Amino acid sequence: MSSLLLARNVRRAISVLGGGSGGINALSGVRPVARRFVIDMSYSAHFMDFKGSSIPSSMKKLVVNKLSPNFREAVSVQTVAVPTPGDADLLVRNRFAGVNASDVNYAAGRYDPSVKPPFDIGFEGIGEVVGLGLSASSRYTVGDAVAYFGSGAFAEYTVVPAKESVPVPAVRPEFLTLLVSGATAYIALKRLGDLAKGETVLVTAAAGGTGQFAVQFAKQAGCHVIGTCSSDEKAGFLKSIGCDRPINYTTEDLAKTLKKEYPQGVDVVYESVGGSVLEIAVKCLANKGRLIVIGFISGYQTASGIPDFRGSTLPVKLLQKSASIRGFMLPHFVSDYREALGSMMQMFAKGKLVCEVDHGDLAQEGRFVGLESVFRAVDYMYAGKNLGKVVVEVFPPPVSNKL
Ligand SMILES: NC(=O)c1ccc[n+]([C@@H]2O[C@H](COP(=O)([O-])OP(=O)(O)OC[C@H]3O[C@@H](n4cnc5c(N)ncnc54)[C@H](OP(=O)(O)O)[C@@H]3O)[C@@H](O)[C@H]2O)c1
């Protein structure tokens, strides 16, 4: 799946949501804040300051200059002109940008080998509209809160086509967690998990960006949920979101614990780590078990991007249990996206969904603020330190804005 195709497919899904005043606000049942409608009649005047804060002429953004699975080697900060939105575009000042495990794959050029450096990076952002084109002004106005999924979110300002942006009730990082991480868990479990009440579900990297949602959705389906993680703090968090059996694999042997406590095996695995963890997960499948391949992060920082897997006995293992392995890529499930996002927004509004965000407050050099902190945030995630979705604060809130 190429990055462009991936972004295009998800953007198509987002546009199905109907960017503009209906969209997510309508889906979520959250009342939008009172808005000042501005119809910009002058195309030449489509730059409009947001509540008195001026738009500078230059900005910083991250650019992939060299393909490498070493993020720091591949990516650098550049100072460039603030882009001008076209007729149907929004200029978004990014308040928050989401860090994803696959930023490393993207910087290594694994998504679309035909795309050569330099290119922009960063999958998702949320912020305020600070400028817009004439057509875009029929649905948006300066000051609107929007989220989006697409390349180029690791920048202070990003131009986003209006029809591909998601109106949100407020610029809160929690909404950012739903676009990719939440949607992946929601749709993968719904479409490929075939969850039944009373079944056992194993989630790997359970306390991370997407794992936290898999735990909650499996629990909501009435399942017994096991979650792997690397610290007692994460295990405590997993308990707090309904995980029945957190396994801190740094203090407990994962394979032995599963064998001892779940002799009948587990019915569904939401698997993100790959390599030896995938081998253990295949081994512990119950009869008619379903293993969903969400990712294989343990290999992403290697030259091939793929962790070792001893798979020659795989057909035997699957056959003996009538088990199956299913791959999941979010852009292949565009038709499920609208329902997934709407449903998650409603759950969040009703306090029925925890969207845990990790801003790096406990990271060695402190909170992830400013674009330069993306490098630290990627290191932090790959060191397994994050609890929840890793989010970088690109800009502090505007002075006059109470969001
Ligand atoms: N298929 C899709 O459409 C899709 C969409 C989104 C994400 N994903 C996949 O979902 C997985 C999680 O992504 P995310 O962005 O949400 O990240 P994340 O879970 O927030 O962070 C990664 C976590 O993986 C765990 N981990 C286990 N072994 C690791 C290793 N060898 N190296 C680094 N981390 C390791 C760490 O948690 P512990 O230390 O607690 O184990 C770490 O906190 C990735 O595989 C990603 O590619 C797939």
Side-chain angles (χ1 to χ4, degrees):
M1 170 66 55
S2 80
S3 60
L4 295 178
L5 189 53
L6 182 142
R8 212 179 299 134
N9 283 342
V10 174
R11 281 178 164 179
R12 201 181 312 136
I14 287 169
S15 69
V16 171
L17 285 165
S21 33
I24 281 288
N25 290 339
L27 287 168
S28 65
V30 178
R31 273 173 65 98
V33 288
R35 302 193 318 153
R36 178 171 57 101
F37 285 91
V38 176
I39 305 298
D40 179 9
M41 299 307 289
S42 159
Y43 182 69
S44 63
H46 61 200
F47 267 110
M48 300 161 76
D49 274 8
F50 175 40
K51 295 182 181 170
S53 69
S54 61
I55 300 168
S57 57
S58 66
M59 65 165 202
K60 286 190 229 165
K61 71 171 180 177
L62 297 196
V63 176
V64 178
N65 289 307
K66 174 190 168 194
L67 302 182
S68 168
N70 179 333
F71 192 84
R72 285 179 181 271
E73 213 174 272
V75 180
S76 66
V77 183
Q78 286 191 2
T79 300
V80 296
V82 172
T84 305
D87 178 55
D89 297 331
L90 308 176
L91 178 66
V92 179
R93 172 164 46 203
N94 293 312
R95 283 273 305 285
F96 299 101
V99 173
N100 286 280
S102 256
D103 290 326
V104 165
N105 289 326
Y106 197 73
R110 291 183 186 133
Y111 275 71
D112 184 353
S114 70
V115 177
K116 303 287 176 225
F119 55 84
D120 297 346
I121 186 165
F123 288 129
E124 56 196 350
I126 186 168
E128 297 97 3
V129 175
V130 291
L132 68 172
L134 179 59
S135 304
S137 67
S138 66
R139 294 196 295 175
Y140 283 97
T141 187
V142 164
D144 278 354
V146 290
Y148 62 91
F149 174 76
S151 187
F154 292 154
E156 291 178 333
Y157 295 84
T158 304
V159 168
V160 184
K163 67 178 185 352
E164 295 168 4
S165 54
V166 180
V168 285
V171 182
R172 293 182 58 183
E174 286 84 356
F175 295 124
L176 197 59
T177 70
L178 302 176
L179 293 183
V180 175
S181 305
T184 296
Y186 186 99
I187 301 169
L189 287 177
K190 186 171 175 193
R191 301 283 283 173
L192 304 182
D194 298 334
L195 302 185
K197 204 171 169 190
E199 285 194 315
T200 301
V201 178
L202 169 66
V203 179
T204 61
T210 189
Q212 62 171 326
F213 293 106
V215 167
Q216 294 177 78
F217 297 142
K219 197 64 200 163
Q220 284 173 12
C223 297
H224 175 94
V225 185
I226 310 160
T228 71
C229 63
S230 61
S231 73
D232 287 342
E233 191 203 358
K234 292 189 188 188
F237 165 68
L238 288 175
K239 274 262 177 215
S240 77
I241 59 169
C243 181
D244 299 284
R245 178 59 167 106
I247 301 177
N248 174 355
Y249 59 81
T250 66
T251 55
E252 292 186 273
D253 184 290
L254 179 61
K256 282 185 188 156
T257 306
L258 289 171
K259 197 172 170 194
K260 185 171 159 221
E261 296 182 22
Y262 301 93
Q264 303 301 317
V266 302
D267 300 296
V268 175
V269 185
Y270 186 87
E271 214 296 280
S272 298
V273 177
S276 58
V277 174
L278 176 61
E279 285 171 21
I280 292 169
V282 168
K283 241 186 205 166
C284 81
L285 278 173
N287 282 349
K288 297 185 185 168
R290 291 86 66 195
L291 187 150
I292 310 171
V293 176
I294 295 298
F296 31 90
I297 190 171
S298 60
Y300 294 171
Q301 287 185 314
T302 65
S304 71
I306 305 165
D308 288 340
F309 176 71
R310 286 171 295 176
S312 60
T313 59
L314 188 62
V316 183
K317 288 185 180 120
L318 296 181
L319 182 140
Q320 283 173 343
K321 294 173 178 170
S322 298
S324 59
I325 297 188
R326 305 167 178 194
F328 177 86
M329 271 296 268
L330 181 60
H332 295 156
F333 293 84
V334 165
S335 56
D336 294 275
Y337 197 74
R338 178 192 167 91
E339 190 272 323
L341 220 47
S343 173
M344 289 186 293
M345 292 288 286
Q346 291 213 1
M347 283 185 235
F348 180 66
K350 289 178 186 162
K352 292 187 172 157
L353 187 66
V354 173
C355 303
E356 189 68 24
V357 172
D358 190 337
H359 289 289
D361 291 298
L362 300 177
Q364 210 168 18
E365 292 168 57
R367 192 176 170 90
F368 304 131
V369 180
L371 272 183
E372 288 84 354
S373 69
V374 170
F375 297 98
R376 287 198 295 118
V378 170
D379 291 345
Y380 179 79
M381 171 188 277
Y382 274 83
K385 301 264 190 246
N386 63 300
L387 195 163
K389 170 95 186 172
V390 179
V391 171
V392 166
E393 186 171 5
V394 179
F395 263 125
V399 178
S400 58
N401 185 358
K402 293 197 178 67
L403 291 171

